[in-house]
Amino acid sequence: MRKKLAAGNWKMNLTPNEARDFAAKLAPKTKGDSDVVFCVPFVSISDVVKAVEGSGVSVGAQNMHFEEKGAFTGEISASQLVGAGAKYIIIGHSERRQYFLETDEIVNKKLIKALEHGLIPIVCVGETLKEREDGITIELVRMQLKRGLLRLTPEDAAKTVIAYEPVWAIGTGKTATSEQAEEVCGAIRTLLEELYGKNTAEQIRILYGGSVTADNASELFAQKNIDGGLVGGASLKDDFEVIAKA
């Protein structure tokens, strides 16, 4: 059985002091059978790591560079994240792809570097509303994953988390139905089996991300191929306690 994972993506919110206080308050409430991770802004990682100590909650980052070090002003490396106490890293979030023009090739480079440093990657894929209306969702997601996971061994693939996030459902209040979400997550599992074999595919956790709330979490996470959620707005509310326990 794959252990459920509730990952909160705090995006560009909360100062370090606010993040520390919120994490300290929320972490004990999320205790249950699921893995829980708070993915916080770079400047808050160390403070949040201290705030959740002993709670079982892990801390992650929202982005990283694929180079080890160098003249990349404003960027942060995998080793710096590990040094700050991060355990997880979100890679290829739709906002990174949309606003910062990240390609599948860049996602792949970041993924390989994250695995080299022992970070647990959460690799995001998903379609826009037009792409869904054009009927190319499955083909698009398969292509994003094939390119994003290029050169990964089965052993490294098994350490990777995949997050399906329909772009049209992020921050809009719209949510894919449980059937729509399960259809795509099932297609992802099928591709993983094609690439790495059934045993490895069954080990990889697949999350749903896209306006996950306290009201819809249980139904979404009950689907066969959905192993938890990558949660945006609701991760900054007390609702995340309900989502984590779902």
Side-chain angles (χ1 to χ4, degrees):
M1 289 290 292
R2 296 178 298 271
K3 193 173 185 180
K4 298 288 185 182
L5 171 61
N9 178 12
W10 293 10
K11 306 192 179 184
M12 196 175 71
N13 293 292
L14 305 184
T15 65
N17 286 344
E18 290 169 341
R20 179 197 62 215
D21 293 345
F22 180 66
K25 181 183 76 169
L26 183 61
K29 298 179 181 179
T30 63
K31 185 161 282 192
D33 297 329
S34 300
D35 286 336
V36 177
V37 56
F38 298 158
C39 294
V40 307
F42 301 141
V43 293
S44 299
I45 291 174
S46 295
D47 287 312
V48 173
V49 166
K50 293 173 186 173
V52 303
E53 191 173 1
S55 69
V57 172
S58 298
V59 178
Q62 301 167 17
N63 181 41
M64 55 165 267
H65 200 280
F66 52 78
E67 293 290 354
E68 200 66 47
K69 59 183 178 180
F72 303 104
T73 301
E75 289 291 337
I76 195 162
S77 70
S79 58
Q80 289 171 327
L81 293 176
V82 171
K87 298 275 183 66
Y88 286 77
I89 175 71
I90 299 174
I91 296 177
H93 190 279
S94 62
E95 290 158 4
R96 298 295 311 175
R97 294 176 186 261
Q98 179 180 356
Y99 302 130
F100 303 100
L101 307 182
E102 289 193 5
T103 63
D104 295 327
E105 181 184 12
I106 291 173
V107 168
N108 179 247
K109 289 180 178 180
K110 290 183 176 184
L111 172 57
I112 290 171
K113 183 58 66 176
L115 288 164
E116 284 178 9
H117 285 270
L119 288 165
I120 300 172
I122 302 174
V123 180
C124 302
V125 294
E127 84 283 13
T128 64
L129 181 59
K130 185 177 189 307
E131 288 162 342
R132 173 162 281 275
E133 290 174 342
D134 287 345
I136 61 171
T137 294
I138 302 297
E139 291 89 343
L140 178 80
V141 168
R142 282 176 60 92
M143 185 59 69
Q144 287 176 329
L145 269 181
K146 281 183 177 180
R147 289 173 171 165
L149 302 181
L150 205 61
R151 294 183 295 278
L152 252 65
T153 65
E155 292 74 23
D156 280 339
K159 302 170 190 172
T160 302
V161 178
I162 308 297
Y164 165 57
E165 42 160 29
V167 180
W168 49 271
I170 298 173
T172 64
K174 297 179 181 178
T175 310
T177 65
S178 54
E179 292 79 14
Q180 288 174 321
E182 169 63 17
E183 178 188 22
V184 180
C185 291
I188 289 172
R189 185 89 58 204
T190 297
L191 174 62
L192 294 172
E193 185 173 342
E194 292 172 12
L195 294 175
Y196 303 110
K198 186 174 181 62
N199 184 54
T200 299
E202 288 298 323
Q203 296 177 56
I204 298 172
R205 291 187 285 190
I206 302 173
L207 310 182
Y208 171 76
S211 297
V212 177
T213 67
D215 293 330
N216 62 27
S218 291
E219 182 180 348
L220 284 165
F221 302 166
Q223 303 303 308
K224 178 183 177 183
N225 289 292
I226 299 178
D227 304 309
L230 178 58
V231 186
S235 69
L236 292 166
K237 304 175 184 176
D238 289 337
D239 286 5
F240 191 68
E241 173 188 352
V242 178
I243 294 170
K245 290 178 177 176

